[in-house]
Amino acid sequence: MRTQVGIVGAGPAGLVLGLLLAREGIESVVLESRSREYIEHRVRAGVLEQGTVDCLAASGVGERLQREGMVHHGLFLRWDGYSHRIALSDLTGGRGITLYGQQEVVKDLVAERVEDGRELLFEVSDVRVEDFDGDEPAIRFTDATGAEQVLRCDVIAGCDGFHGLCRPTVETALRVYEREYPFGWLGILAEAAPSSDELVYCHHERGFALQSMRPPDLTRLYLQVAPDEELERWPDERVWEELHTRFAGDDGFDVAEGAVVEKGITPMRSFVAEPLRHGRLFLAGDAAHIVPPTGAKGLNLAVADVRVLADGLAHWYSTGDGSRLDSYSDRCLRRVWRVQHFSWWMTRMLHRLPGEDPFEPMLQRSQLEYVCSSHAAATSLAENYVGLELEL
Ligand code: RFL
Ligand code: PHB
């Protein structure tokens, strides 16, 4: 097998990269270890920045997203029983976010790729990336039928997420920056209409809680829990009770209950592995960096990376000039670190730290009051949340 760009991983990073390359007339093959069914039903992100939506729409996969996605112009920060609105659009010259499930984005991207007849192999195993120091890199793998395959290509894109194999392959050449948080998120998807039409980020003495949604009629809810928490300890009744307690207040707000259709626990981590380029192997998305989900940024960052990569590859293929590939890592890392800081800052403002002294929650409360009362502070949150237009 031979292609121009071999892409490992059919998450948002790999699929969007394949799409952008196809629009430039560049061939790719995507290799995915899971089944189509699995990746189309993995519940994860829900918040898309305007730049992400525009990129998908401009590439011809925005039709259902623009029909079913819900545009939000604000969000709420809630503490002491009251919600305070941050007017995202008013503060950012009209920009907003779109609520649309990551698995819906993945479905749209897979459908377009399959319809267009571009290669996408599911259930591959034993993937190895080789010879990326030279001009003829190769990806060895076992296909779904059990046959050994070699895919030769000009360039390999490592889009295989945090637990993939591309980053470990270049481990010794990486500089890693990392922070683990002493808590995780328990997330549920429930068949209930959300009680607020905008997201509610809640600071509570028992820990953080978040109400989000999946249009048109599902609620997505999260609770801060211990990092090693076991799901069995959280039957639905306990989850609802805890949600009611954390969201309770004097303004009558409450979460609406419904049948729980998905439940999972996610650890929280900040992580960056630099650089993103190793010869002809380019890391993108969660394979290179992770942010805690409080800023709703991971998917958007993955799309931002591959936009830079597709631009560099298109320039290289059309002119022979590799300078935009040489600067790929540095250009991405500027955005990555801005988003790292914002995600850490949101996380720090909203969560309770086990064993913290009484000083910490007082600082958090002061920060929340400042963000909700100062135009400058609110604008800073808003422009980061909707996504900063950093030069590509
Ligand atoms: P992915 O989505 O993990 O995709 C990687 C793909 O590679 C496959 N793979 C392999 N394939 C072949 N060979 C191998 N050896 C392989 N190893 C792995 C995997 O099966 C998978 O299909 O990474 P990508 O594309 O970089 O996308 C990143 C995003 O998925 C991630 O950042 C977001 O989900 C993070 N995130 C959020 N991001 C947002 O922008 N907005 C949000 O609102 C938001 N909320 C969230 C989130 C992540 C969460 N969890 C569960 C981690 C909420 C949660 C709870
Ligand atoms: C979600 O809808 O899943 C979601 C929303 C906001 C976040 C994280 C996740 O910060």
Side-chain angles (χ1 to χ4, degrees):
M1 290 170 81
R2 157 107 208 136
T3 190
Q4 289 179 294
V5 181
I7 301 176
V8 187
L15 291 168
V16 173
L17 177 62
L19 174 70
L20 297 176
L21 293 176
R23 296 295 177 259
E24 297 288 346
I26 301 166
E27 245 181 55
S28 64
V29 173
V30 177
L31 305 176
E32 167 60 48
S33 56
R34 303 284 193 164
S35 66
R36 179 172 180 177
E37 166 76 11
Y38 183 91
I39 65 162
E40 289 187 346
H41 293 90
R42 189 163 45 193
V43 178
R44 282 187 167 181
V47 174
L48 306 185
E49 293 175 1
Q50 191 64 51
T52 304
V53 173
D54 292 347
C55 166
L56 293 170
S59 312
V61 288
E63 197 267 323
R64 193 165 69 98
L65 160 61
Q66 282 171 325
R67 188 159 32 90
E68 294 179 13
M70 202 185 273
V71 177
H72 285 199
H73 300 289
L75 60 77
F76 291 101
L77 295 176
R78 183 174 177 84
W79 72 95
D80 285 353
Y82 285 99
S83 295
H84 308 255
R85 186 166 188 266
I86 302 283
L88 296 172
S89 298
D90 293 348
L91 292 162
T92 59
R95 296 166 63 212
I97 50 154
T98 298
L99 268 283
Y100 189 68
Q102 177 168 331
Q103 74 273 31
E104 305 306 322
V105 175
V106 166
K107 273 182 210 161
D108 295 345
L109 289 163
V110 169
E112 187 280 337
R113 190 167 177 106
V114 169
E115 218 165 274
D116 199 40
R118 303 197 307 277
E119 202 108 45
L120 167 50
L121 305 182
F122 290 103
E123 297 178 75
V124 305
S125 54
D126 202 17
V127 177
R128 283 145 293 154
V129 290
E130 295 175 357
D131 303 331
F132 45 84
D133 287 334
D135 294 345
E136 263 287 293
I139 309 178
R140 288 178 195 279
F141 63 99
T142 305
D143 70 19
T145 70
E148 295 274 331
Q149 301 282 1
V150 185
L151 172 65
R152 297 197 188 279
C153 43
D154 300 329
V155 161
I156 300 173
C159 302
D160 50 349
F162 187 68
H163 300 289
L165 79 309
C166 290
R167 191 184 67 253
T169 308
V170 290
E171 200 151 36
T172 52
L174 293 172
R175 174 148 197 192
V176 169
Y177 301 86
E178 191 167 15
R179 183 158 294 181
E180 287 202 18
Y181 298 87
F183 44 78
W185 278 14
L186 183 152
I188 62 164
L189 195 60
E191 285 175 344
S195 324
S196 154
D197 18 330
E198 295 181 330
L199 270 62
V200 186
Y201 286 83
C202 179
H203 178 274
H204 189 271
E205 60 184 16
R206 294 176 61 85
F208 170 74
L210 169 63
Q211 183 197 263
S212 178
M213 62 206 71
R214 292 290 178 275
D217 48 17
L218 296 178
T219 312
R220 179 81 168 139
L221 293 146
Y222 295 100
L223 282 171
Q224 174 184 351
V225 295
D228 53 355
E229 189 60 279
E230 286 164 21
L231 211 47
E232 300 76 63
R233 294 190 353 106
W234 287 87
D236 296 354
E237 310 77 66
R238 183 176 176 205
V239 174
W240 289 118
E241 196 184 315
E242 193 62 32
L243 284 165
H244 290 309
T245 305
R246 294 192 195 179
F247 279 108
D250 300 327
D251 58 355
F253 179 80
D254 199 0
V255 289
E257 292 194 23
V260 175
V261 290
E262 205 269 345
K263 195 191 284 178
I265 293 183
T266 314
M268 304 273 280
R269 186 182 278 119
S270 300
F271 178 94
V272 183
E274 299 186 3
L276 273 56
R277 176 183 183 176
H278 302 266
R280 290 194 177 207
L281 170 64
F282 294 83
L283 301 176
D286 277 15
H289 40 72
I290 291 280
V291 283
T294 330
K297 287 284 169 240
L299 185 162
N300 296 295
L301 207 48
V303 171
D305 281 356
V306 298
R307 285 173 68 190
V308 178
L309 184 52
D311 168 72
L313 287 167
H315 191 67
W316 180 55
Y317 275 116
S318 62
T319 65
D321 170 13
S323 58
R324 294 203 206 162
L325 289 176
D326 296 339
S327 59
Y328 166 70
S329 185
D330 289 344
R331 283 154 81 202
C332 288
L333 285 167
R334 278 186 58 223
R335 177 188 296 268
V336 166
W337 279 108
R338 172 86 302 277
V339 168
Q340 284 291 351
H341 180 270
F342 176 67
S343 303
W344 165 85
W345 177 82
M346 283 283 280
T347 302
R348 181 84 192 259
M349 176 167 72
L350 289 161
H351 292 74
R352 298 303 304 266
L353 294 164
E356 69 191 358
D357 59 18
F359 200 76
E360 186 71 28
M362 299 309 281
L363 291 179
Q364 290 177 327
R365 181 177 310 224
S366 171
Q367 181 70 46
L368 285 163
E369 278 168 10
Y370 178 53
V371 161
C372 293
S373 58
S374 149
H375 190 267
T379 304
S380 170
L381 187 154
E383 69 177 7
N384 279 279
Y385 196 85
V386 301
L388 283 167
E389 282 301 314
L390 294 184
E391 187 205 340
L392 281 184

